[in-house]
Amino acid sequence: MSSSASPLFRFGVIADPQYAAIAPHVAMDRYYANSLAKVAAAIEVFNDWELSFVMTLGDVIDRSFSSFDDILPVYEKLRHEALFLLGNHDFSVSAGHLSEVAARLGMPSPYYSFLRHGWRFIVLDGNEVSIFAPPEGHHHRALAARMLAELQAKGARNAHRWNAALSDEQFAWLGDEIAKAAEAGEKVIVMNHYPIHPPSEHGMWDSERIVELLASTSNVVAYLNGHDHVGNYGMAGACHFVNFKGVVDTETENAFAIVEVYTDRIEIRGFGREVSRTLAY
């Protein structure tokens, strides 16, 4: 098969709609209410393609549990499967709703994996150890406060309240999923809300151990994320790290992508502000 043959499959990517029925934050160039129309426009494009699924990489809303009632119906026009993962802003809801966010997004659990066309997709919950997502009094919240204080004491650039970490349990599960995929001869794409490489102020608090794990394996091809709305790209080992741009930024320009998986490369077709890239593997 030549390298220019048809893709094995395609999927859509949206990052950070951060919808809320509130006034824009002009200084940050964030137009929260406009995300309804932008997501609808992306879905119109996606519906013209044959896609296996469309993944939204977190921050579906900016705040308020009722915001889901406005934006999730927009996804009902999508003729493909809509999949979600959890972002930090998805937990900007009242304490009583914290435990309901994953279910509201139709997710099977806060982190999960699935197979498509012989590829394994591993979906992380980057908010598990944070000072905002666990319920009040949960040990993960206390652990997060300690981790953040230690990073702040070191002057770490990612020592921010809006970042978080994986629990040791989830990190072990990630390693197990990658190992199972390797045994089955499956390539892996990992998806999460937060960047982990290149290092940045938006990176997960435990970025180093995750990058080390992904870069040390031969079957993990790519790690896809949002959170840092300006976008980014890096490589460690044989793994490509792609940070998609945020939908919520700018008054009128959109940002989304169609990812085409070939036998020797991944082609990212960027729309609007999103960058097109070729990731060889």
Side-chain angles (χ1 to χ4, degrees):
M1 182 184 277
S2 75
S3 66
S4 61
S6 306
L8 305 171
F9 63 99
R10 298 184 178 95
F11 60 93
V13 169
I14 301 174
D16 299 80
Q18 268 185 237
Y19 167 76
I22 56 173
H25 191 312
V26 178
M28 292 181 79
D29 208 12
R30 290 185 183 170
Y31 291 79
Y32 309 99
N34 296 14
S35 288
L36 288 187
K38 289 185 188 178
V39 171
I43 285 170
E44 275 189 41
V45 173
F46 291 149
N47 283 345
D48 287 339
W49 291 76
E50 282 309 315
L51 304 177
S52 292
F53 60 89
V54 172
M55 174 62 81
T56 301
L57 294 167
D59 284 3
V60 177
I61 61 167
D62 182 73
R63 65 191 74 174
S64 177
F65 198 72
S66 62
S67 297
F68 288 120
D69 297 340
D70 292 339
I71 192 163
L72 290 182
V74 176
Y75 284 88
E76 289 167 16
K77 296 194 172 70
L78 183 67
R79 68 180 185 92
H80 312 292
E81 186 178 14
L83 297 174
F84 296 92
L85 57 77
L86 300 168
N88 54 309
H89 281 274
D90 296 316
F91 292 96
S92 295
V93 298
S94 62
H97 287 302
L98 287 173
S99 63
E100 300 168 14
V101 174
R104 185 71 186 89
L105 290 167
M107 295 168 58
S109 56
Y111 54 92
Y112 60 100
S113 69
F114 61 94
L115 291 173
R116 289 290 184 280
H117 307 277
W119 283 59
R120 185 174 301 226
F121 290 84
I122 301 175
V123 181
L124 300 178
D125 172 15
N127 315 277
E128 194 182 18
V129 176
S130 66
I131 59 170
F132 48 81
E136 286 289 350
H138 194 283
H139 69 278
H140 283 161
R141 202 176 266 243
L143 173 60
R146 288 200 302 275
M147 289 182 80
L148 179 56
E150 283 169 19
L151 287 166
Q152 285 171 336
K154 282 192 242 171
R157 62 196 294 199
N158 63 335
H160 295 290
R161 305 169 60 82
W162 63 76
N163 296 328
L166 302 183
S167 67
D168 288 344
E169 180 185 31
Q170 186 181 171
F171 181 72
W173 172 84
L174 169 62
D176 288 346
E177 285 287 318
I178 293 168
K180 280 184 207 160
E183 281 169 29
E186 298 158 358
K187 298 285 188 196
V188 172
I189 293 175
V190 179
M191 296 173 164
N192 187 19
H193 181 58
Y194 299 87
I196 55 172
H197 183 77
S200 76
E201 65 170 13
H202 291 87
M204 291 194 71
W205 297 334
D206 59 340
S207 291
E208 288 88 349
R209 68 172 178 171
I210 307 170
V211 174
E212 194 177 322
L213 171 64
L214 303 188
S216 67
T217 58
S218 58
N219 63 323
V220 179
V221 175
Y223 176 99
L224 313 180
N225 67 273
H227 191 53
D228 188 352
H229 297 192
V230 298
N232 206 352
Y233 169 80
M235 198 168 184
C239 184
H240 298 274
F241 295 81
V242 183
N243 188 147
F244 290 86
K245 293 178 188 283
V247 167
V248 71
D249 296 63
T250 79
E251 187 171 8
T252 57
E253 285 185 283
N254 215 338
F256 60 94
I258 289 173
V259 180
E260 302 184 305
V261 179
Y262 292 81
T263 54
D264 61 345
R265 70 192 189 281
I266 291 173
E267 295 281 353
I268 297 175
R269 288 174 180 259
F271 293 79
R273 291 164 34 249
E274 190 49 68
V275 180
S276 294
R277 307 176 190 273
T278 299
L279 316 177
Y281 70 87

